[in-house]
Amino acid sequence: MAEGFNTEDMLDMYLLENGQLLEQLQEIVLDQKDADCFDEDSINEIFRTMHTIKGSSGIMMFDDITAVAHKLEDVFYFMRESHPENVPHLELVEHVLDVADFITGEMEKIQNGDPVDGDSSAIIQEIDKFLTKIKGGDPAEAGKDVKSPVHEEPKQFYIAPVATSDSHFYKIFVNFYQDTEMSNIHAYKIVYALKEIAEDLLYLPEDIISDESSSDVIIKDGFKILLQAQAEEAEVREIVSEGYSVEKVDISEINGQEFLKGFQDDGHADVQIDLESSVEEIEARTDQPAAIEAKPAKDKIAPGDFVIKSKDPGRQKKLAKDKPKQEKASFISVNVTKMDQLMELIGELVISESVVLQNQDLKVPGLNLDNFNKAAAQLSKISTDLQNVIMSMRMVPLANTFQKMNRIVFDVSRKLGKDIEFEMVGEQTEVDKNLIEHISDPLMHMVRNAVDHGIETNEERAQKGKTEKGKVTLSARTEAGKVWISVEDNGAGLDRDTILRKAREKGLLDNGRPDSSYSDKEVYQFITLPGFSTNTQVTEYSGRGVGMDVVVQNIQAVGGMLDIESTPGKGSIMSLKIPLTLAIIDGIVMETGGSSFVMESGVIKEFVRVDEDMMVYEPDGEEYVMVRGECFSVIRLGKRYGMTDYKESVEDGMMVILEVEDQKIALFVDKLVGKQEIVVKPIPSYVKKVKGLSGCTQLGDGSIALILDAAGLIA
């Protein structure tokens, strides 16, 4: 490649596009893993995916990726052309996933700057055996002479023309979408793919690799190709077709003489269609050749290019073949770091807005602030709209994360010999991108537990009279500013007695407290403790007592919680409750002992003024308050955190009723300040972690307020 060519942009584009292709590939394969065979559309799609990855990897000189993609492409080319019967479907699924894993692993090395040193020979040999088997040959003879991939330096693909009676000549015109980045690389991928069938190949612009400015030319004028090949037009269209970056492809077959003219302008003037003049007028004009001025030929005549001449400019004429254009959504790729920086700036804007609107100078008696209040209201509206737009930009669907769980179910169930069906519900539910990173590991552990612990073996299900297949359902929904993600299985369910026995062995039960006094939810929470496992055998997936504690830690780190339900013999449901976003929340500001605290408004049920006669005091120091016949445990916030100067009498303060997962408590504070949008900031690492506190924020007066974690207070 030419000196100074920006390979970093090219590499980023390679990783982005192939990453998306691999996600689509895995989705297709996992959707049809339980079928008898791939349908025709899927076969064609997988073939095209491998063909594209092979071509782009060849350009980038990643030889092992090129080789393994080429070998899998051979399999699906044979299936597409020959339609073989009795293809071992699950074996083919595993081969496709093995190839996808290999390519993904190599791409991760590329992204991390590590050497791309994966060895594809073993995978190629296995696929070669499979291909030989479905062709009806002896698999033992396949793959013996598998050669290591050797890179050949890409060349300008001009092949000496040797036309035969079977040769066809094509003129190909490719239009890319206007927002396509590095269109010269996309054009080169087309050339690279066509060279496999080409006898002679020319393209314009010519210098598409070393000259980055050719990208602008291609977007403006299109990419032109002349092809000589012993291939029918349908085969050419298989290689060059509309898709990811290509908006339109026009292929026309020409004769040898036209091919030899190359890209010279063939001198056609614009074709004018006069829809207004009468036949007599048109015939009269044909008798006056001197009056006709020759118009210069256009630089480019695109297929279907007509100029419509009309005497009435007020009425637009349309050809019958014209269709109204639909606006196409435009997308650009943005670095996540920039999105995070933008979100931080929005947070600072919210804080600055609070500082301005709550400024002490505005509280001077007698000030007329009507105009200021109108401007402040407009500012608040704009900042709120801005927050909503930025938040929507950060929201991504859970579909990709759910598909990864589909893969885990497939792999684990195959290794454990269990026949398990996987179902996804609500996979288009959107959450903050940063939350995706926090929930991937918890979901993986929960799904593995469902497959390994929850669902019985095929023999055990038959003995219990269960006729339906084992099933894992992964679902998501939004509710009151929270996202619920549930993993449900139809397995054996949790054994309460076994969990209690294990908890007693580990000394987790209270002395003197009978087992019957523990609710099912309390018992099931024991499995989330570090080192707790009811499996008697250590397997690849469970038995070491790690997993569910990781789930709880990761979820609590983002202000979420885990809920467990189970019915013996019927199955279990494990649900994660997480916030939609971590950045900006609606909160209630309150004060105790001269310090400010904030509580998320979503967990607050009501505020209650209480009298002393509503209080109940236990000998052990526990306090309760009776509100409309319901008893709530009381937490004095000032006493909880060892503060001074907080109000002792309940009649001087305010009770805040909190509800978290069917548990309710009354939080006693000195006074309420008001509702405010809160920008969540982490507590500095040098401050010891305190239970019940999840972060901090800056208030309008510049002071710092601690953000209370309701789940931590109740636990």
Side-chain angles (χ1 to χ4, degrees):
M1 295 183 185
E3 185 177 354
F5 181 66
N6 190 350
T7 57
E8 288 187 7
D9 289 345
M10 189 172 174
L11 191 61
D12 289 341
M13 185 64 66
Y14 169 82
L15 293 173
L16 173 65
E17 291 187 355
N18 284 0
Q20 292 173 341
L21 287 172
L22 289 172
E23 286 178 2
Q24 295 168 8
L25 172 69
Q26 185 160 278
E27 184 176 348
I28 292 171
V29 173
L30 292 176
D31 281 347
Q32 299 195 27
K33 67 180 187 299
D34 296 323
D36 294 330
C37 60
F38 288 116
D39 58 41
E40 186 174 348
D41 289 340
S42 297
I43 290 173
N44 289 332
E45 189 63 35
I46 296 172
F47 171 80
R48 283 193 293 266
T49 298
M50 287 297 106
H51 189 81
T52 303
I53 292 176
K54 178 193 73 173
S56 59
S57 301
I59 294 170
M60 299 300 297
M61 296 180 287
F62 299 132
D63 302 331
D64 282 278
I65 298 179
T66 304
V68 76
H70 194 170
K71 182 54 66 176
L72 188 60
E73 179 193 20
D74 289 344
V75 173
F76 281 89
Y77 179 80
F78 174 74
M79 292 179 63
R80 188 181 68 168
E81 299 299 322
S82 303
H83 305 289
E85 296 181 357
N86 301 321
V87 174
H89 183 63
L90 273 179
E91 187 178 345
L92 178 57
V93 166
E94 289 179 342
H95 283 312
V96 177
L97 293 177
D98 285 344
V99 169
D101 288 344
F102 176 82
I103 297 175
T104 301
E106 296 299 282
M107 287 172 57
E108 287 176 357
K109 294 177 186 177
I110 297 168
Q111 197 160 22
N112 297 331
D114 299 330
V116 187
D117 52 5
D119 185 5
S120 61
S121 58
I123 296 178
I124 292 175
Q125 190 167 2
E126 290 300 316
I127 298 176
D128 210 34
K129 290 180 181 178
F130 179 82
L131 181 57
T132 303
K133 181 166 66 175
I134 64 176
K135 285 182 176 180
D138 184 3
E141 296 298 320
K144 287 187 176 180
D145 298 322
V146 177
K147 298 179 181 179
S148 298
V150 177
H151 173 73
E152 294 182 6
E153 187 68 26
K155 303 177 181 63
Q156 182 84 351
F157 297 119
Y158 187 83
I159 304 170
V162 184
T164 68
S165 58
D166 296 326
S167 296
H168 296 268
F169 303 93
Y170 300 99
K171 181 180 289 186
I172 304 171
F173 189 79
V174 182
N175 282 112
F176 292 93
Y177 289 111
Q178 292 297 309
D179 57 356
T180 301
E181 298 179 10
M182 300 178 68
S183 58
N184 57 324
I185 303 304
H186 290 278
Y188 188 79
K189 286 162 64 176
I190 293 174
V191 172
Y192 191 90
L194 284 173
K195 66 101 177 179
E196 293 192 2
I197 64 169
E199 294 178 328
D200 193 6
L201 183 61
L202 300 170
Y203 49 88
L204 192 70
E206 296 179 354
D207 202 3
I208 55 177
I209 289 297
S210 58
D211 184 7
E212 290 184 78
S213 63
S214 63
S215 179
D216 297 330
V217 177
I218 291 171
I219 290 294
K220 180 182 177 183
D221 298 331
F223 186 54
K224 306 171 186 177
I225 304 171
L226 289 174
L227 172 68
Q228 174 186 319
Q230 295 186 21
E232 298 296 330
E233 184 176 331
E235 188 176 347
V236 178
R237 289 190 180 276
E238 282 287 337
I239 298 174
V240 189
S241 59
E242 289 86 356
Y244 177 77
S245 58
V246 178
E247 181 178 21
K248 185 179 180 183
V249 175
D250 287 300
I251 301 176
S252 55
E253 188 165 357
I254 58 178
N255 57 42
Q257 291 299 320
E258 291 174 307
F259 183 85
L260 291 176
K261 287 182 180 179
F263 297 107
Q264 296 176 6
D265 193 344
D266 38 18
H268 293 303
D270 292 342
V271 181
Q272 292 189 358
I273 302 178
D274 189 349
L275 302 180
E276 295 291 332
S277 302
S278 64
V279 175
E280 291 78 6
E281 290 172 330
I282 295 173
E283 289 177 346
R285 284 203 299 268
T286 59
D287 296 332
Q288 301 172 3
I292 301 176
E293 296 182 2
K295 296 181 67 176
K298 286 172 65 179
D299 292 338
K300 171 174 69 72
I301 298 179
D305 188 8
F306 297 99
V307 177
I308 304 174
K309 184 177 180 181
S310 171
K311 292 192 299 187
D312 185 359
R315 292 205 317 253
Q316 184 181 6
K317 302 301 180 192
K318 290 185 180 180
L319 294 180
K321 66 169 194 161
D322 285 347
K323 294 181 180 178
K325 281 190 175 181
Q326 295 181 347
E327 289 189 11
K328 185 179 75 70
S330 297
F331 297 93
I332 61 172
S333 299
V334 179
N335 192 309
V336 177
T337 305
K338 293 182 179 179
M339 293 293 297
D340 291 340
Q341 291 173 348
L342 184 57
M343 195 68 231
E344 289 178 8
L345 289 174
I346 295 298
E348 295 301 323
L349 177 63
V350 172
I351 292 173
S352 298
E353 179 189 354
S354 300
V355 171
V356 171
L357 300 185
Q358 298 176 25
N359 196 299
Q360 295 297 321
D361 295 344
L362 301 176
K363 298 180 181 179
V364 177
L367 283 180
N368 185 355
L369 299 176
D370 290 345
N371 291 333
F372 175 83
N373 290 332
K374 289 179 182 178
Q378 180 68 10
L379 175 64
S380 298
K381 180 181 182 301
I382 292 172
S383 64
T384 300
D385 291 344
L386 190 56
Q387 289 174 46
N388 293 335
V389 170
I390 300 302
M391 289 308 307
S392 66
M393 291 169 63
R394 292 169 57 91
M395 303 293 272
V396 295
L398 287 164
N400 288 340
T401 304
F402 277 24
Q403 279 295 344
K404 293 176 184 175
M405 301 307 117
N406 190 358
R407 175 68 187 278
I408 289 172
V409 172
F410 176 75
D411 289 342
V412 177
S413 62
R414 290 277 289 171
K415 289 181 179 178
L416 296 177
K418 297 180 180 180
D419 190 11
I420 299 177
E421 178 185 352
F422 182 76
E423 181 183 17
M424 296 188 299
V425 178
E427 65 270 22
Q428 294 306 318
T429 302
E430 293 187 334
V431 299
D432 193 310
K433 181 171 177 60
N434 285 345
L435 280 171
I436 295 284
E437 300 169 3
H438 288 86
I439 65 175
S440 292
D441 280 349
L443 274 182
M444 179 189 70
H445 288 296
M446 290 164 62
V447 169
R448 278 184 172 178
N449 271 354
V451 177
D452 190 14
H453 283 280
I455 296 180
E456 313 93 331
T457 63
N458 298 342
E459 294 76 14
E460 289 171 341
R461 293 181 71 84
Q463 290 172 3
K464 293 179 180 179
K466 291 186 174 182
T467 56
E468 73 278 10
K469 292 173 63 174
K471 185 176 183 180
V472 174
T473 302
L474 185 56
S475 60
R477 72 180 193 278
T478 56
E479 182 180 301
K482 301 285 185 179
V483 179
W484 287 85
I485 302 177
S486 301
V487 178
E488 181 179 357
D489 66 74
N490 63 349
L494 295 174
D495 189 328
R496 174 188 169 96
D497 295 336
T498 301
I499 295 173
L500 280 171
R501 185 170 60 253
K502 190 74 174 180
R504 187 177 291 106
E505 292 173 3
K506 289 183 168 290
L508 300 176
L509 302 182
D510 296 334
N511 291 330
R513 183 178 176 182
D515 293 354
S516 58
S517 66
Y518 287 94
S519 67
D520 286 345
K521 284 200 173 186
E522 287 179 295
V523 173
Y524 297 152
Q525 286 297 323
F526 285 129
I527 70 173
T528 66
L529 298 177
F532 194 99
S533 178
T534 56
N535 260 21
T536 55
Q537 289 185 337
V538 175
T539 69
E540 181 182 353
Y541 305 107
S542 62
R544 295 178 177 84
V546 294
M548 293 307 295
D549 61 316
V550 174
V551 171
V552 174
Q553 290 171 12
N554 285 19
I555 294 305
Q556 287 180 346
V558 295
M561 60 189 61
L562 173 67
D563 180 66
I564 304 174
E565 299 177 22
S566 184
T567 304
K570 299 291 186 180
S572 303
I573 303 175
M574 296 192 179
S575 302
L576 302 179
K577 183 181 180 183
I578 58 176
L580 272 173
T581 177
L582 301 177
I584 300 175
I585 62 173
D586 287 329
I588 303 297
V589 182
M590 55 194 76
E591 284 187 6
T592 294
S595 297
S596 299
F597 295 87
V598 178
M599 177 67 71
E600 183 188 356
S601 57
V603 299
I604 297 176
K605 293 295 135 185
E606 60 178 322
F607 308 105
V608 182
R609 289 273 187 190
V610 299
D611 298 325
E612 191 64 41
D613 59 3
M614 299 169 65
M615 297 296 296
V616 177
Y617 300 98
E618 295 288 338
D620 60 0
E622 293 290 328
E623 297 178 87
Y624 299 90
V625 62
M626 299 295 297
V627 180
R628 295 187 294 276
E630 193 172 358
C631 184
F632 301 100
S633 176
V634 175
I635 294 178
R636 293 177 181 265
L637 193 59
K639 184 178 179 181
R640 174 70 176 263
Y641 292 118
M643 303 173 70
T644 58
D645 299 330
Y646 61 88
K647 294 179 180 179
E648 294 283 353
S649 173
V650 294
E651 296 184 353
D652 295 334
M654 178 70 72
M655 288 288 181
V656 183
I657 308 299
L658 309 178
E659 182 177 8
V660 180
E661 287 303 308
D662 299 329
Q663 298 183 61
K664 296 180 180 180
I665 63 166
L667 184 68
F668 179 67
V669 298
D670 290 357
K671 67 175 182 178
L672 301 178
V673 177
K675 185 178 179 181
Q676 185 174 324
E677 286 184 328
I678 300 300
V679 179
V680 180
K681 301 285 187 180
I683 295 177
S685 57
Y686 54 80
V687 177
K688 183 179 178 181
K689 187 173 182 180
V690 179
K691 188 175 181 181
L693 300 179
S694 60
C696 60
T697 189
Q698 183 180 352
L699 300 179
D701 59 2
S703 62
I704 301 299
L706 295 172
I707 300 175
L708 296 170
D709 175 24
L713 291 173
I714 291 177

